[in-house]
Amino acid sequence: MSSSISSKDITYIALFTSLTTVFSIIPPIPMPVVPVPLTLQTLGLMLAGLVLGPRLALLSMALYLLIALVGFPVLPGARSGLAVFAGPTGGFLLGFLPGAFVTGWMAKRSAQLAQGARSGAQIFAGNLTAAILGGALTVYAVGVPWLAIISNIPMSEAVLAVAIFMPGDVIKALIAAFVATRVAQLMPTAGDR
Amino acid sequence: MNWGVDSDFSSAQASWLSHWSAGTKLLILVVMASTFVLINHPLWLGLSALFMLGVWRSVNGPVNWQAWRRVIWLAVTVTVVVSYVGFFSGVDQALVVLFRLLALLFAALAVVASTPVTDMMAAVQAALTPLGRWGWVNPAKVALAFGLTLRLIPVMLEQWQEIRQAQAARGISAAPHALLVPMLARTIRRADELAEAIDARADSADFR
């Protein structure tokens, strides 16, 4: 694995790790109704998957978690450290790893299946599916059971607790898909898709 | 991780803390970050925040307020998060979040201000050497990505700020894609430039 990583790959990984950090700490958007401010953190994850492809996106998120683990306040609300990973929301952070991979893999696969030039709408549809299934649902698939076990609550309650994030994640998936489509059209050779 | 304050960042200043090894400081940061999250009492967290502020001030030298004015958004972030918590979970919990946030921030700033990025990379590389022996990771490459990311965070924050101001001047500050498309385009272009710079300079044997 490590021997096939070029300098270009390393700069992509580092840039999307810092991009995700920036999205995590720029002023959050207060959401109507939802009692948690929305940060753009998972937008970083979705864009990493869509632009970088599965391998580099996974490594970029692993680096993001490593930097958070060491104690640099790169998570939303400037949290960090081991205790965050052990806490009730730790599963969502670990879910970033398969989440980024699935997003990247699905985006890549939809491009391969299309065989040849795709219209903007087709690229957007593929990106949107990948961002929702990878960037949102895969992250939930790890985070929700984790939340239920750590907080000792039934799965149904854990799902309800997380439901408030879903509208925000759908909006972020729409934005990520749109931006990644524009980037794919403007810079077709970027990343490792 | 200097949150946009270049003059404080690029040259880690000599201070009592800069004599400690980077590995020790990173290890202490891990322990402290974990402890701050576990503590749930506003008084203890408040004292920790004050203490870490003292540590940071003692290693950082005079603060360049002109530079700090550019990172007002950080105060906005803190205010939004704290008032949200205050509104939904009460004043006590808001104080916990505020002090925890400040304690962590000052601790990280103190480490960054007293440790050159190259030393931090060396520490990460040393910590990962056992894994490298099993062939799981290439410690030199992980260390490079780690150091590069820490250095890039302030650069990317500034880039975001610039794009926001440029778009606001055109009267399109509200549209997220108007900010994000140029943000991504510039980021990708930066990757090309950085990779060239790395290949030109870091031709060392352990990196191949």
Side-chain angles (χ1 to χ4, degrees):
Chain A
M1 177 183 84
S2 47
S3 58
S4 60
I5 301 276
S6 68
S7 320
K8 182 77 167 285
D9 293 342
I10 291 177
T11 56
Y12 270 128
I13 291 169
L15 277 162
F16 276 79
T17 307
S18 27
L19 192 71
T20 307
T21 305
V22 170
F23 286 157
S24 300
I25 59 183
I26 53 177
I29 305 153
M31 294 275 287
V33 190
V34 181
V36 183
L38 180 72
T39 74
L40 296 178
Q41 184 190 31
T42 49
L43 186 68
L45 166 121
M46 291 169 183
L47 284 172
L50 296 179
V51 176
L52 296 186
R55 191 178 59 119
L56 296 185
L58 173 69
L59 292 175
S60 178
M61 288 304 114
L63 180 63
Y64 178 64
L65 297 187
L66 174 72
I67 289 175
L69 184 69
V70 170
F72 292 98
V74 297
L75 303 177
R79 295 170 311 144
S80 64
L82 265 173
V84 176
F85 287 87
T89 57
F92 293 97
L93 290 176
L94 290 180
F96 277 27
L97 301 175
F101 186 85
V102 170
T103 308
W105 181 78
M106 289 190 67
K108 196 173 187 172
R109 196 81 194 103
S110 70
Q112 285 168 347
L113 287 175
Q115 292 175 341
R118 294 184 296 170
S119 72
Q122 281 170 317
I123 302 176
F124 178 79
N127 281 345
L128 183 62
T129 315
I132 288 179
L133 292 181
L137 289 185
T138 307
V139 176
Y140 294 154
V142 182
V144 171
W146 183 293
L147 176 68
I149 291 166
I150 298 269
S151 314
N152 203 15
I153 55 173
M155 275 292 274
S156 54
E157 264 180 56
V159 171
L160 275 181
V162 171
I164 51 167
F165 291 102
M166 289 178 188
D169 276 331
V170 171
I171 294 168
K172 278 182 269 184
L174 281 165
I175 296 172
F178 177 83
V179 172
T181 306
R182 288 296 293 144
V183 169
Q185 288 168 331
L186 293 170
M187 314 172 120
T189 56
D192 176 35
R193 281 163 294 173
Chain B
M1 187 59 54
N2 69 332
W3 315 94
V5 190
D6 319 281
S7 56
D8 295 0
F9 185 86
S10 42
S11 56
Q13 286 130 350
S15 65
W16 59 273
L17 198 57
S18 54
H19 299 303
W20 295 23
S21 83
T24 311
K25 278 182 279 190
L26 286 181
L27 201 63
I28 293 175
L29 192 59
V30 175
V31 175
M32 278 201 310
S34 309
T35 318
F36 290 154
V37 175
L38 287 175
I39 301 177
N40 246 324
H41 197 284
L43 180 65
W44 290 114
L45 282 171
L47 290 174
S48 309
L50 261 181
F51 177 72
M52 289 325 300
L53 172 66
V55 171
W56 174 61
R57 292 297 302 116
S58 75
V59 300
N60 197 59
V63 173
N64 180 355
W65 292 111
Q66 209 62 33
W68 277 92
R69 207 168 295 163
R70 282 186 289 136
V71 287
I72 292 289
W73 56 268
L74 190 60
V76 178
T77 304
V78 174
T79 315
V80 172
V81 171
V82 169
S83 43
Y84 246 84
V85 176
F87 187 76
F88 286 101
S89 323
V91 177
D92 247 33
Q93 203 53 37
L95 285 178
V96 166
V97 169
L98 174 67
F99 290 141
R100 178 183 294 154
L101 222 136
L102 292 178
L104 272 170
L105 199 61
F106 291 134
L109 283 171
V111 171
V112 169
S114 66
T115 320
V117 173
T118 45
D119 287 9
M120 260 188 262
M121 286 166 63
V124 170
Q125 189 167 342
L128 289 175
T129 304
L131 292 179
R133 224 168 280 144
W134 299 332
W136 287 7
V137 291
N138 182 332
K141 289 185 178 181
V142 178
L144 175 63
F146 187 95
L148 202 53
T149 303
L150 287 191
R151 190 65 195 90
L152 279 171
I153 290 168
V155 175
M156 299 287 278
L157 278 170
E158 203 157 315
Q159 179 179 311
W160 175 260
Q161 211 69 347
E162 273 170 26
I163 293 172
R164 237 192 44 182
Q165 283 166 2
Q167 300 298 54
R170 300 186 180 101
I172 44 176
S173 55
H177 66 268
L179 297 173
L180 290 169
V181 173
M183 184 76 181
L184 263 286
R186 277 210 219 176
T187 302
I188 290 164
R189 223 169 295 140
R190 206 185 280 277
D192 298 329
E193 296 164 11
L194 279 171
E196 274 172 36
I198 290 170
D199 284 335
R201 292 170 130 214
D203 239 348
S204 61
D206 62 336
F207 191 66
R208 287 284 131 185

